[in-house]
Amino acid sequence: MVKVLVKWQGKKYEVDADITMPGEYFKAQLFSLTGVAPERQKILVKGGQLKDDTDMSQLGLKENQILMMIGTVGELLKAPTQPVKFVEDMSENEVAQALSIPAGLTNLGNTCYMNATLQCLKAIPELKSATDKHSVARGQTDARANMVESMKSLFKQLNESGEGVPPFVFLQFLRQAYPRFAEQDSQHGGYRQQDADEFWSEMLTTLDQVLGKDGSVSTVVEKHMSGRMVTTWKCDEAPDEEPTVRQEPFRKLNCLIDKSVNYLSQGIKKGLEEVIEKHSETLDRNADYKSVSRIDRLPEYLTVTYNRFFWKASESIDAKIVKSVKFPLDLDVSEFCTPELVEKMRPARLHLREIEDKKAHERKLAKKGQNAEPEAEKKEMDVDVKPEGSSSTPFELSPEFKADDGCNPTGMYELIGVVTHIGRTANSGHYMAWVRKEKGVGGPDPAGRGIPETQHWWYKFDDDEVSMVTDDEILKLCGGGDWHTAYVTLYRAKKLE
């Protein structure tokens, strides 16, 4: 690091210039201090003007050297409309954009935890809509507000680019807002690897705080990504003692892992039930209390995290639990809900089952039709067969669920995102994101590898390298060895249509 002074509009700003990073990173630092966007900065250095790809180590910067910056805070001029181009005239980047192939994020040195999390959050359209409506005042010094603004800009870049996008500006604000993500690795040098689950939690907290300042009654995080839990504490040793009941919000469910847990549902159940020792006023001594938590409100997007790491004192590391824990592509969490919520969801659950049965029946008829004679096929398709258990009464969602925007009225979810970790400790290894490709959205599916209609393709984000896999590859992320292991899973409520 070299401390330099940057002179701009009569003021001097002290900046710790990291000469191991390109000029774009230095511009991001100045953006956070002055509010002047990197595209509007003209920084005069030896040999001319600082460029994004300038090698800072070749500038010969000295302590307290004064640099001059020219630029104003304000909106960039819009580029003129580009003429229509044909595919054969496009660059590789333009072709990728035309085919809607998603772009990845460049690893800036142990930032895979951040890249993987952001790619999963990007799969939530309501989040993008909320950030698009939010704006930050010019010259804003609140690092958290600037985080949200730079995330909005980053998502826009990812949508428009066909190649890796370096998240310099976002990373700069993240480390300002949460200094622990700027911790240095004393043994190997550079920045330390961080925990993707911790970053996920801090990102939701930041979004909730910043977007809440807009005056919204409830934010996108509260509506679409937060549920409500009812927890009951009871002491079996004191049956006359009244149970303690409390309600509290939650943003994720925890999957606890031990020798008995082989499936996600088992781990979630363990996470919702525990026994602790505390003082009992009735017995006037310490006693065991059992807590049982049940869900009272389900969010549209449900985050489930896996407690894959534990402190290993003998080696002073956060060691990893590599045990296999299978997770489903379709998740039913009704068993973890209060009896009252289960009863309220019953009509919607029945309707959803009818929809899925009807689709299965239509696929069956279509498959038969491919091998049938034309006349026989017509007769087969003309038969009005109702799925088993279907109701003739038109379905209408209850007023309570209609009024609760962002809730899940069925308890049925489908997997749309996974953050995985490969490695043996929390402070090492590598994170990746796996995001489901929606049918009919984005570019065409890979040719030559036909998959059943009921399955999906997935984008595999290995930082800025993006490829595609099928459902079968996703189900292999359950753990059990030195392979990519699910650490955070993102589920979305199944649609009632």
Side-chain angles (χ1 to χ4, degrees):
M1 294 287 187
V2 180
K3 183 184 290 184
V4 297
L5 299 175
V6 179
K7 190 174 181 181
W8 176 70
Q9 291 192 351
K11 297 182 180 179
K12 291 182 180 179
Y13 297 86
E14 289 188 1
V15 183
D16 290 324
D18 188 344
I19 60 174
T20 65
M21 303 296 284
E24 186 174 10
Y25 188 81
F26 185 70
K27 289 185 176 182
Q29 290 178 286
L30 291 177
F31 176 40
S32 65
L33 292 172
T34 65
V36 179
E39 298 87 348
R40 298 182 66 86
Q41 296 176 14
K42 289 185 179 180
I43 304 168
L44 306 181
V45 295
K46 181 180 179 181
Q49 184 177 318
L50 184 72
K51 298 181 179 178
D52 289 348
D53 59 355
T54 297
D55 186 348
M56 298 288 288
S57 64
Q58 300 299 313
L59 297 180
L61 297 177
K62 298 179 181 179
E63 288 289 325
N64 296 317
Q65 180 176 342
I66 298 177
L67 302 178
M68 178 72 72
M69 184 180 82
I70 301 172
T72 58
V73 177
E75 300 222 355
L76 290 170
L77 294 174
K78 293 184 178 179
T81 304
Q82 295 294 325
V84 176
K85 284 187 177 181
F86 295 99
V87 174
E88 56 268 25
D89 298 323
M90 294 181 179
S91 65
E92 183 179 352
N93 180 43
E94 290 171 328
V95 171
Q97 180 180 338
L99 295 178
S100 300
I101 297 174
L105 290 165
T106 307
N107 193 319
L108 303 179
N110 280 336
T111 58
C112 55
Y113 71 93
M114 178 187 77
N115 293 348
T117 299
L118 289 174
Q119 290 288 9
C120 280
L121 292 177
K122 185 174 175 287
I124 303 175
E126 292 82 0
L127 200 58
K128 181 181 182 302
S129 297
T131 54
D132 284 347
K133 295 175 184 176
H134 177 77
S135 60
V136 173
R138 296 178 183 178
Q140 173 65 257
T141 58
D142 183 347
R144 287 176 174 81
N146 286 326
M147 267 181 66
V148 174
E149 189 69 11
S150 60
M151 186 186 81
K152 177 174 72 174
S153 175
L154 190 60
F155 283 0
K156 183 180 180 183
Q157 285 181 272
L158 288 171
N159 287 334
E160 296 175 350
S161 177
E163 51 191 31
V165 176
F168 283 118
V169 177
F170 179 86
L171 181 61
Q172 177 74 16
F173 289 130
L174 169 65
R175 289 172 174 167
Q176 282 184 17
Y178 301 100
R180 72 172 179 277
F181 290 112
E183 291 176 351
Q184 299 283 322
D185 189 332
S186 57
Q187 293 183 342
H188 304 95
Y191 291 101
R192 291 184 60 188
Q193 178 65 282
Q194 298 292 333
D195 190 309
D197 179 28
E198 289 184 10
F199 173 64
W200 185 292
S201 297
E202 296 293 16
M203 196 66 241
L204 293 191
T205 298
T206 300
L207 286 163
D208 192 41
Q209 291 175 347
V210 173
L211 298 178
K213 292 179 181 178
D214 289 344
S216 303
V217 176
S218 57
T219 67
V220 63
V221 174
E222 291 175 309
K223 285 183 178 180
H224 298 274
M225 301 186 72
S226 302
R228 188 171 58 244
M229 194 80 71
V230 177
T231 302
T232 303
W233 295 87
K234 187 176 182 180
C235 179
D236 291 335
E237 299 177 60
D240 296 333
E241 185 174 313
E242 285 292 322
T244 301
V245 181
R246 71 167 184 262
Q247 279 189 350
E248 55 188 1
F250 72 91
R251 290 177 183 161
K252 62 182 179 180
L253 295 180
N254 293 316
C255 173
L256 300 187
I257 303 175
D258 61 19
K259 293 180 180 179
S260 66
V261 174
N262 297 304
Y263 298 94
L264 176 60
S265 59
Q266 296 172 331
I268 292 176
K269 185 175 181 180
K270 278 189 173 292
L272 296 176
E273 299 177 2
E274 65 175 330
V275 176
I276 67 168
E277 182 181 320
K278 67 175 185 175
H279 182 75
S280 168
E281 295 184 0
T282 303
L283 301 175
D284 195 24
R285 62 175 174 83
N286 284 351
D288 287 342
Y289 282 77
K290 182 179 181 180
S291 78
V292 177
S293 297
R294 290 294 179 263
I295 300 169
D296 186 48
R297 192 258 185 190
L298 284 167
E300 182 176 358
Y301 295 90
L302 179 67
T303 302
V304 182
T305 61
Y306 302 68
N307 67 329
R308 285 284 177 187
F309 299 105
F310 69 98
W311 179 249
K312 194 172 184 179
S314 61
E315 299 180 29
S316 298
I317 59 171
D318 285 318
K320 185 177 180 180
I321 302 172
V322 297
K323 187 180 189 300
S324 171
V325 178
K326 293 181 172 61
F327 56 89
L329 297 175
D330 295 321
L331 178 66
D332 182 357
V333 297
S334 59
E335 64 176 299
F336 310 121
C337 298
T338 62
E340 294 80 7
L341 181 57
V342 171
E343 186 60 32
K344 291 177 186 176
M345 294 190 301
R346 192 181 303 279
R349 287 171 63 83
L350 176 60
H351 181 64
L352 180 60
R353 191 167 289 112
E354 290 177 1
I355 292 174
E356 294 182 340
D357 287 346
K358 182 179 179 181
K359 289 180 178 178
H361 184 68
E362 290 173 348
R363 286 194 297 269
K364 184 178 179 181
L365 291 181
K367 188 174 181 181
K368 285 183 178 180
Q370 291 176 357
N371 302 318
E373 293 294 328
E375 187 62 29
E377 178 182 351
K378 182 178 183 301
K379 291 181 179 179
E380 181 81 25
M381 296 300 289
D382 285 344
V383 177
D384 184 16
V385 180
K386 291 185 179 181
E388 184 179 351
S390 64
S391 171
S392 58
T393 305
F395 171 76
E396 185 172 353
L397 192 63
S398 71
E400 183 177 350
F401 284 134
K402 280 185 178 180
D404 189 358
D405 182 29
C407 76
N408 179 355
T410 68
M412 304 288 288
Y413 288 92
E414 54 189 358
L415 185 68
I416 63 167
V418 185
V419 173
T420 59
H421 178 268
I422 186 171
R424 287 285 178 163
T425 68
N427 296 324
S428 64
H430 182 57
Y431 288 98
M432 287 170 45
W434 314 67
V435 179
R436 197 177 82 168
K437 178 185 182 296
E438 299 305 315
K439 292 183 181 294
V441 178
D445 291 340
R449 290 184 61 188
I451 63 173
E453 184 184 345
T454 53
Q455 291 196 33
H456 287 82
W457 284 95
W458 292 69
Y459 294 116
K460 172 185 173 184
F461 293 96
D462 184 359
D463 288 325
D464 53 1
E465 295 184 9
V466 186
S467 56
M468 297 186 73
V469 299
T470 61
D471 285 343
D472 294 337
E473 295 300 315
I474 299 301
L475 294 175
K476 293 177 183 178
L477 305 175
C478 58
D482 292 321
W483 180 240
H484 301 282
T485 305
Y487 187 41
V488 181
T489 46
L490 177 64
Y491 286 89
R492 180 182 63 199
K494 289 191 172 185
K495 295 181 180 180
L496 286 167
E497 55 184 36

